[in-house]
Amino acid sequence: MSLTGNRFLILQTPPPRASFVSTPPFSRLPLKRASPGGATSSSAVAGCRVLSPTRCNTIVSTRRRLVPIRAIDSDIPHPIKEYEEWDSWTAKFSGGANVPFLMLQLPQIILNAQNLLAGNNTALSAVPWLGMLTGLLGNLSLLSYFAKKREKEAAVVQTLGVISTYVVLVQLTMAGAMPVQYFVATSAVVTVGLVLNCLFYFGKLGTTVWGLWEDFITVGGLSVLPQIMWSTFVPLVPNSILPGASAFVIAVAAVIMARTGKLSEEGVRFVGSLSGWTATLMFMWMPVSQMWTNFLNPENIKGLSPITMVLAMMGNGLMIPRALFIRDLMWFTGSMWATLFYGYGNILCLYMLNCTSKSFFAAATIGLISWIGLALWRDATAYGHNSPFRSLKELVFGP
C-alpha cells in the first residue's frame, strides 16, 4: 500500500511449507524504481535492497516463480536417470541374445548342408523333426506374445528362432527325414504367422483377425504341450495320442467359451495368456527331457558340446534383466529356468561326468552368479528400492 514520500509498505506473507529453490541472484533485479513524477526515490531503493528479492519487486516475483524441489517419495517411484539408463541397457541385452541363439543353430544347418551335398541323407535322420517342430511352434507363439507387448528386441529373437528352425526342417524334408505333408502344413503356418505378426506390430492388422490367430496358437500350444510331456517318458508309459487329443478338446472349449462371453473377465484374461504360457512351458520342458535322457543313458551326455550349453545359457540369461525390469513373470520364469536348468544344468552334468574341465565349470558358475546378481542390483537401483528382493516381490505379486 502506498505511503507518503513515495514509500511502500510491503506486507509479509507466510513462508511456504515446501522446500524451494531460490530465485536468480540480486544483481538481476532492478535496484531503482521510477516515482510517479519521474524522479528516483532513494528511500525506496534503500528499502528494496534490504528486503528479499521476491518480496521487494512484485513484478519479478510474478514472473519468476519459485521451483519446488522434488523429493523421492511415493509420487516419484524411481530415480529418473537410473531408470532410463537401465531401461535402455536391458533392451540392448535382450537384442544381443540374437548372437548366441544364432550360433546355436548355425552349426546344425552347416552340418546338414554338408551331408546333403555329400548324399548322406541318412545322417539327417538323427535330428528329431518332431522336436524341431515343437521348438518352432514355441518360437511362433512367443513371437505373437512379444509383438503384442511391443517388445521389439524379444520379438526379433523369436523371429530368428522361427526362421532358423524352419531352415532345418527344409533340410530334413529334402533328406526325407520329415514327411512332406507335415512340412507343407508347417510352411503354411509359418508363412501366415510371420505375415500376421509383422502386420500387427506395425498396426496394419485388425483386431478380429489377430484374435483368430491368438485362438489358433492357444489351441495348438495346449494340444502339443501335454503330448510332448507324455512322449518324454515313453516306453515307461504306453505310447498314446490321448493326452494331446484330450487337451485339444479342452482348449477348443475354453476358446469358444471365452469368445461367446461364457467366462468371467478373469477367465477371459486367463485364456488369453495361455498361448504365451504354453510356449514358455514347451521350452521349460526341453531341459527336463534332456536331463531325463541323461539319467537313462549317462553315456549319451558325452555327445553334448559344452560350448553349445554355454551359448544356451548366455542367450537365455541375456533376457533375464529385461523380463525382470518390465515385471513380466512369464518371460522371467522361462528365461531363468532355461538359463539354470538347460544351460547351466547340462554344464553341471558334463562336469560331474568328467566331460569338461574344472576351470570351464568354475568360469561358467562365477559368470552366471555375477550376471544374476548384477541384474537384481541394477533393477533395484533403477526403481529406487533398498533391496533386490523388493523387485522379485513386485515381479510375482505386483507393485
Side-chain angles (χ1 to χ4, degrees):
M1 54 189 299
S2 177
L3 301 177
T4 58
N6 294 332
R7 285 184 288 183
F8 296 84
L9 176 63
I10 307 299
L11 298 178
Q12 184 176 356
T13 57
R17 296 182 179 179
S19 299
F20 295 92
V21 176
S22 60
T23 55
F26 292 98
S27 59
R28 297 185 181 179
L29 297 174
L31 297 179
K32 295 184 179 181
R33 179 179 299 176
S35 64
T40 302
S41 173
S42 59
S43 60
V45 172
C48 286
R49 285 177 176 172
V50 297
L51 294 176
S52 65
T54 54
R55 295 176 184 169
C56 172
N57 194 321
T58 56
I59 298 177
V60 175
S61 63
T62 302
R63 292 178 181 175
R64 305 175 185 268
R65 298 185 182 274
L66 301 176
V67 181
I69 299 175
R70 293 187 299 180
I72 301 178
D73 54 13
S74 59
D75 295 331
I76 307 296
H78 45 69
I80 300 299
K81 182 179 180 180
E82 288 81 357
Y83 183 90
E84 292 178 349
E85 287 181 352
W86 191 234
D87 182 16
S88 175
W89 275 111
T90 55
K92 293 176 182 177
F93 291 146
S94 180
N98 282 297
V99 177
F101 281 139
L102 180 60
M103 294 175 66
L104 276 173
Q105 288 287 13
L106 275 180
Q108 186 65 57
I109 294 174
I110 294 173
L111 180 60
N112 291 344
Q114 292 174 346
N115 287 324
L116 285 173
L117 292 175
N120 188 16
N121 294 347
T122 56
L124 276 75
S125 300
V127 181
W129 69 268
L130 186 58
M132 300 297 295
L133 178 60
T134 301
L136 185 145
L137 294 177
N139 286 127
L140 199 57
S141 297
L142 288 179
L143 170 60
S144 301
Y145 177 80
F146 290 121
K148 190 174 182 178
K149 291 177 69 70
R150 292 297 187 271
E151 285 290 334
K152 180 178 66 176
E153 292 80 8
V156 171
V157 171
Q158 302 305 324
T159 302
L160 181 62
V162 171
I163 295 174
S164 60
T165 306
Y166 180 74
V167 171
V168 175
L169 292 180
V170 171
Q171 294 174 326
L172 295 179
T173 304
M174 294 174 62
M178 180 179 182
V180 177
Q181 61 271 24
Y182 288 105
F183 175 74
V184 172
T186 301
S187 300
V189 172
V190 169
T191 303
V192 172
L194 290 178
V195 171
L196 291 181
N197 277 279
C198 182
L199 293 176
F200 178 80
Y201 184 83
F202 292 103
K204 305 296 183 181
L205 188 67
T207 56
T208 302
V209 179
W210 180 254
L212 292 175
W213 169 251
E214 285 188 313
D215 292 342
F216 173 78
I217 59 178
T218 298
V219 173
L222 284 177
S223 303
V224 171
L225 179 61
Q227 189 62 46
I228 294 174
M229 298 174 69
W230 181 271
S231 300
T232 300
F233 301 105
V234 174
L236 297 180
V237 295
N239 191 4
S240 173
I241 62 169
L242 181 61
S246 302
F248 173 80
V249 174
I250 296 174
V252 171
V255 167
I256 293 176
M257 292 177 65
R259 293 300 179 186
T260 56
K262 302 297 184 181
L263 298 178
S264 62
E265 185 177 351
E266 294 181 356
V268 173
R269 287 199 300 267
F270 175 76
V271 173
S273 65
L274 284 178
S275 60
W277 274 109
T278 51
T280 301
L281 290 173
M282 286 181 193
F283 290 110
M284 290 175 65
W285 190 255
M286 290 176 63
V288 175
S289 178
Q290 182 66 56
M291 290 184 178
W292 176 252
T293 303
N294 296 342
F295 175 76
L296 295 178
N297 302 293
E299 293 298 323
N300 288 351
I301 198 173
K302 295 180 180 179
L304 291 178
S305 170
I307 302 299
T308 301
M309 294 300 101
V310 167
L311 290 173
M313 184 178 71
M314 291 175 58
N316 289 283
L318 283 171
M319 295 190 290
I320 290 176
R322 186 64 183 176
L324 177 62
F325 179 76
I326 67 172
R327 302 297 189 260
D328 191 320
L329 180 60
M330 186 206 74
W331 189 8
F332 180 84
T333 303
S335 300
M336 183 66 78
W337 182 278
T339 302
L340 295 178
F341 292 97
Y342 184 62
Y344 184 75
N346 282 303
I347 293 175
L348 177 61
C349 292
L350 288 169
Y351 173 71
M352 293 176 64
L353 295 176
N354 298 320
C355 296
T356 186
S357 64
K358 183 177 181 180
S359 58
F360 183 89
F361 174 72
T365 303
I366 295 173
L368 177 61
I369 295 175
S370 301
W371 178 250
I372 295 177
L374 175 66
L376 293 173
W377 169 64
R378 284 301 305 271
D379 188 88
T381 302
Y383 278 90
H385 299 330
N386 295 326
S387 171
F389 295 103
R390 173 78 178 274
S391 298
L392 295 175
K393 181 180 179 182
E394 290 181 354
L395 175 70
V396 179
F397 302 103

